[in-house]
């Protein structure tokens, strides 16, 4: 029996022993949403194990059976949302393409989300080991942040699903037309699944970024000599054997830098685990919504050019439907890029701090250890990619910035030379294919 969810109670500060316990408050919402057939638990040996959820399985079957029923119903009755407001020149081909693409995406997500992502045993085990190493350095890991973030994300998933359905339904009701309920559910549920995949990915990045911040905090305290080692040994300067005390302090600082190096290596392996887990899902998600942006931009431009804007009531309702799809697609792409970039910035801070330590007046032992960590950072550069096809960074969102006429931009040259920067043309691709579609439809007219 599913009980009510007491949000204030779940958001209250509690004592968690690990990341798995921090995910428990949002676990019930994930099961009700049907995105958690298997869940994670920690055994007596502090190892992550997967367990089967009966409640999660029931809701998983319910939501997916409902989706395929609505898809069949929408196809057999040729239900549409946009064409009830404006009869586009693509006619039913746009809806058919959107339906086929969403079926492929949902079928893949049906296996990926409730079984693989919810039971991401490898990544969570690495986080548990990393947290243990951080706590051995004397740092207390705040699991309440992770718990609140996971809960807010889970509530946001349900909120986005319900609010969007209500807005589109209300706009169609405003036109006094029969609301294609099955088509509405099919479209919104596909977008809800993409939101779930993006939320899983972004939450993993948030967890990882928090661990990088602990490393930077420890190194920053060493750089500013505000770590506890310096506070303790300052009081003992009157000791007769000051040189021995200094060597002991340097040895402890060196051990701390070594510990940071070990944890950084563990974080790098966790980064690779994220890339392996989410690579294919990110490729499909980014590709699907890039195509949707092109499709709905075409709808918008065609409807505006045809004079629909003179019918204010219809045009506003049309914009509501287009706005939801466009904004959802852009938010999915931008969220993936933003959180990937945020970790990259955090890892760069590690390099900045360690080089400041090297360039400061620390003893030779501390400088030697810092140099070793600096060499390690050169070889372990975290990158977030979608199956290696393209890197998730800001270059994915735009091509180049403005340049002085006649002066080649350095990034333009790099884009020509380096094949990996083909993803830089993301914005350009949208407009290129949009023009092709517009010309194709215009020629037919």
């Amino acid at each position: 029996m599913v009980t009510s969810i007491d949000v204030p109670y779940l958001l209250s500060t509690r004592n968690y022993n690990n990341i798995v316990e921090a995910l428990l408050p949002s676990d019930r919402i994930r099961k009700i949403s049907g995105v958690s057939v298997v869940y994670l638990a920690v055994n007596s040996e502090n190892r992550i194990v997967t367990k089967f959820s009966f409640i999660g399985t029931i809701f998983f079957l319910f939501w997916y059976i409902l989706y395929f029923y609505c898809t069949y119903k929408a196809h057999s009755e040729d239900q549409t949302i946009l064409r009830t407001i404006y009869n586009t020149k693509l006619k039913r081909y746009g809806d058919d393409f959107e339906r086929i693409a969403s079926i492929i995406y949902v079928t893949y997500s049906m296996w990926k989300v409730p079984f693989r992502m919810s039971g991401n045993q490898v990544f969570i085990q690495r986080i548990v080991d990393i947290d243990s190493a951080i706590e051995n350095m004397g740092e207390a890991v705040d699991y309440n942040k992770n718990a609140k973030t996971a809960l807010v994300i889970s509530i946001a998933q349900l909120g986005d699903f319900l609010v969007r359905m209500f807005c589109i339904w209300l706009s169609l009701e405003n036109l006094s037309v029969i609301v294609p309920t099955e088509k509405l559910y099919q479209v919104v549920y596909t977008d809800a699944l993409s939101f779930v995949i993006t939320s899983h990915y972004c939450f993993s990045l948030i967890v990882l970024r928090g661990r990088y911040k602990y490393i930077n905090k420890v190194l920053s305290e060493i750089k500013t000599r505000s770590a506890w080692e310096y506070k303790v040994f300052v009081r003992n300067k009157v000791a007769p054997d000051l040189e021995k005390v200094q060597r002991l302090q340097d040895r402890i600082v060196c051990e701390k830098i070594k510990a940071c190096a070990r944890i950084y290596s563990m974080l790098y392996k966790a980064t690779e685990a994220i890339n392996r887990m989410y690579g294919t899902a990110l490729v499909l998600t980014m590709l699907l919504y890039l195509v949707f942006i092109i499709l709905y931009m075409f709808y918008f431009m065609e409807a505006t050019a045809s004079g629909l804007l003179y019918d204010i009531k219809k045009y506003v309702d049309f914009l509501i439907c287009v706005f939801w799809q466009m904004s959802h697609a852009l938010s999915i792409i931008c969220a993936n890029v933003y959180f990937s970039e945020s970790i990259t910035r955090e890892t760069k801070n590690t390099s900045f701090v360690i080089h400041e330590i090297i360039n400061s007046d620390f003893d030779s032992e501390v400088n030697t250890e810092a140099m070793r960590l600096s060499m390690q950072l050169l070889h372990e550069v975290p990158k977030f990619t979608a199956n290696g096809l393209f890197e998730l960074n800001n270059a994915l969102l735009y091509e180049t910035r403005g340049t002085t006429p006649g002066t080649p931009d350095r990034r333009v040259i790099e884009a020509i030379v380096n094949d990996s920067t083909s993803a830089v043309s993301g914005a350009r691709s949208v407009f290129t294919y949009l023009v092709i579609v517009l010309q194709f439809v215009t020629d037919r007219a």
Side-chain angles (χ1 to χ4, degrees):
M1 180 178 178
V2 180
T3 57
S4 60
I5 301 171
D6 192 350
V7 175
Y9 170 74
L10 294 175
L11 286 173
S12 61
T13 301
R14 301 167 66 184
N15 293 323
Y16 301 106
N17 296 318
N18 50 60
I19 185 68
V20 178
E21 291 184 6
L23 295 176
L24 290 177
S26 60
D27 186 58
R28 184 180 299 175
I29 299 178
R30 294 199 303 272
K31 290 176 180 176
I32 294 174
S33 304
V35 299
S36 181
V37 173
V38 296
Y39 64 97
L40 302 175
V42 182
N43 61 17
S44 57
E45 299 175 354
N46 206 31
R47 307 304 296 176
I48 303 297
V49 295
T50 57
K51 292 187 176 181
F52 175 78
S53 171
F54 178 75
I55 295 177
T57 304
I58 296 297
F59 280 99
F60 162 77
L61 293 173
F62 171 76
W63 290 116
Y64 281 108
I65 289 173
L66 182 60
Y67 169 81
F68 285 112
Y69 166 77
C70 290
T71 301
Y72 169 76
K73 190 86 170 173
H75 176 71
S76 61
E77 297 180 1
D78 190 25
Q79 293 184 3
T80 180
I81 295 176
L82 281 174
R83 281 188 289 126
T84 59
I85 305 174
Y86 172 73
N87 191 19
T88 174
K89 290 182 180 180
L90 287 180
K91 301 187 183 299
R92 64 171 295 167
Y93 296 112
D95 284 331
D96 288 342
F97 172 80
E98 190 176 346
R99 186 180 301 116
I100 293 170
S102 65
I103 288 174
I104 295 172
Y105 185 76
V106 170
T107 303
Y108 169 79
S109 303
M110 181 189 301
W111 162 78
K112 188 70 174 180
V113 175
F115 295 98
R116 294 282 291 148
M117 290 185 182
S118 296
N120 193 355
Q121 189 174 356
V122 175
F123 173 72
I124 297 297
Q125 182 63 63
R126 292 191 185 279
I127 294 298
V128 170
D129 296 338
I130 290 168
D131 290 346
S132 178
I134 291 174
E135 289 171 350
N136 287 338
M137 284 198 306
E139 296 292 325
V141 179
D142 184 8
Y143 294 110
N144 279 289
K145 274 186 180 178
N146 299 144
K148 292 176 181 178
T149 301
L151 184 61
V152 169
I153 288 175
S154 298
I155 295 173
Q157 290 170 2
L158 292 177
D160 176 76
F161 177 80
L162 296 174
V163 170
R164 185 176 176 192
M165 283 198 72
F166 175 76
C167 287
I168 298 177
W169 175 84
L170 190 63
S171 64
L172 295 177
E173 280 286 323
N174 189 38
L175 292 174
S176 300
V177 298
I178 299 175
V179 179
T181 309
E182 290 83 6
K183 176 65 178 179
L184 178 60
Y185 178 82
Q186 179 231 336
V187 171
V188 176
Y189 190 72
T190 303
D191 293 340
L193 269 182
S194 67
F195 191 13
V196 170
I197 290 177
T198 301
S199 299
H200 275 79
Y201 177 68
C202 292
F203 177 74
S204 299
L205 296 183
I206 291 171
V207 170
L208 204 60
R209 184 182 62 186
R211 275 59 185 173
Y212 275 111
K213 285 183 177 180
Y214 284 112
I215 299 298
N216 292 338
K217 176 176 177 289
V218 171
L219 293 175
S220 296
E221 289 176 349
I222 293 175
K223 181 197 71 173
T224 59
R225 290 181 170 85
S226 59
W228 67 267
E229 293 86 359
Y230 295 99
K231 294 178 181 179
V232 169
F233 289 112
V234 161
R235 300 172 186 172
N236 295 327
K237 282 187 176 180
V238 295
D241 196 351
L242 184 59
E243 184 178 348
K244 184 177 179 181
V245 172
Q246 185 69 34
R247 286 199 303 270
L248 178 60
Q249 174 184 284
D250 291 341
R251 189 170 74 242
I252 294 175
V253 172
C254 288
E255 288 297 325
K256 202 171 233 185
I257 296 177
K258 281 183 182 179
C260 288
R262 288 193 295 270
I263 296 172
Y264 191 93
S265 182
M266 296 167 72
L267 287 168
Y268 180 76
K269 292 178 181 177
T271 299
E272 293 302 309
I274 288 179
N275 287 335
R276 288 192 297 272
M277 171 60 65
Y278 295 97
T280 304
L282 287 174
V283 171
L284 293 177
T285 302
M286 303 287 271
L287 178 62
L288 178 71
Y289 284 99
L290 184 64
V291 173
F292 279 1
I293 288 174
I294 297 171
L295 185 62
Y296 278 82
M297 276 290 290
F298 166 77
Y299 288 150
F300 168 73
M301 294 175 69
E302 184 195 2
T304 304
S306 67
L308 184 64
L309 59 89
Y310 295 113
D311 188 344
I312 300 298
K313 186 177 181 181
K314 267 192 174 182
Y315 191 65
V316 169
D317 293 329
F318 174 82
L319 288 180
I320 291 174
C321 297
V322 172
F323 166 78
W324 270 108
Q325 188 62 61
M326 291 280 292
S327 61
H328 179 83
L330 289 172
S331 62
I332 290 293
I333 295 174
C334 291
N336 289 327
V337 171
Y338 171 78
F339 285 101
S340 299
E341 278 281 357
S342 67
I343 292 193
T344 304
R345 288 195 298 269
E346 197 64 40
T347 58
K348 288 179 181 178
N349 288 337
T350 308
S351 300
F352 297 151
V353 174
I354 202 66
H355 287 134
E356 287 179 355
I357 293 175
I358 294 171
N359 295 325
S360 300
D361 56 344
F362 286 90
D363 289 341
S364 59
E365 292 183 9
V366 176
N367 281 336
T368 300
E369 205 60 53
M371 282 291 295
R372 289 174 181 169
L373 177 54
S374 178
M375 290 295 293
Q376 177 182 335
L377 297 179
L378 291 176
H379 297 282
E380 296 180 347
V381 181
K383 290 183 179 180
F384 297 93
T385 66
N387 261 5
L389 296 177
F390 54 86
E391 189 175 343
L392 293 168
N393 52 29
N394 288 333
L396 192 66
L397 302 179
Y398 56 86
E399 185 175 16
T400 57
R401 292 181 183 174
T403 58
T404 304
T407 305
D409 192 299
R410 179 176 60 84
R411 282 174 294 179
V412 176
I413 298 174
E414 290 177 352
I416 297 173
V417 175
N418 192 350
D419 291 337
S420 65
T421 56
S422 59
V424 169
S425 58
R428 182 182 63 187
S429 298
V430 170
F431 290 102
T432 300
Y433 289 109
L434 182 60
V435 169
I436 292 173
V437 174
L438 285 169
Q439 289 177 342
F440 174 74
V441 175
T442 303
D443 291 341
R444 288 184 60 190

